[in-house]
Amino acid sequence: MSFEIIVDRKLCLVNAATGDKTDITVEIGRPRWVEPEIKAACLVFIRGIMKSPLDIYGSDLWSAMNALWSLRRQSCSRPRTRGSCSGLVARRTSIDIRF
């Protein structure tokens, strides 16, 4: 699926237990209205882990973007070790922000 990417970041995930590494790219799409003035969404796709993009929803364009950050905080709220998320440590290799 193709979509307009507004932010992407390349990361290397390292399994804290085994040391195995996985290169991924997190891509966030431009927020868009699903139902005008009622519900908005933006796509998120993690290349290297996900098979297809996932829509994250909010009540407006801003809340759809904010929901992405909330999702990240929830998924990493109880890391097993410092700097890890579910046993994986993310190491940033590059960032590309487009406006």
Side-chain angles (χ1 to χ4, degrees), residues 51-69:
K51 292 183 181 188
S52 61
L54 172 70
D55 262 325
I56 303 295
Y57 295 95
S59 58
D60 59 28
L61 299 174
W62 182 255
S63 66
M65 287 293 293
N66 192 43
L68 288 170
W69 315 135

Side-chain angles (χ1 to χ4, degrees), residues 4-8 28 30 62 65 95-99:
E4 182 183 4
I5 299 167
I6 60 169
V7 176
D8 67 4
I28 298 174
R30 182 171 303 283
W62 182 255
M65 287 293 293
I95 185 168
D96 181 17
I97 300 175
R98 301 177 197 129
F99 294 99

Side-chain angles (χ1 to χ4, degrees), residues 6-8 17 21-24 27 29 32 38 51 61-62 65 67 71-72 80 88-89 92-93 95 97 99:
I6 60 169
V7 176
D8 67 4
K21 296 179 182 179
T22 303
D23 291 325
I24 65 167
E27 301 172 344
R32 69 198 186 288
I38 296 174
K51 292 183 181 188
L61 299 174
W62 182 255
M65 287 293 293
L71 177 69
R72 190 262 175 219
R80 295 181 188 165
L88 296 175
V89 178
R92 182 174 58 182
T93 57
I95 185 168
I97 300 175
F99 294 99

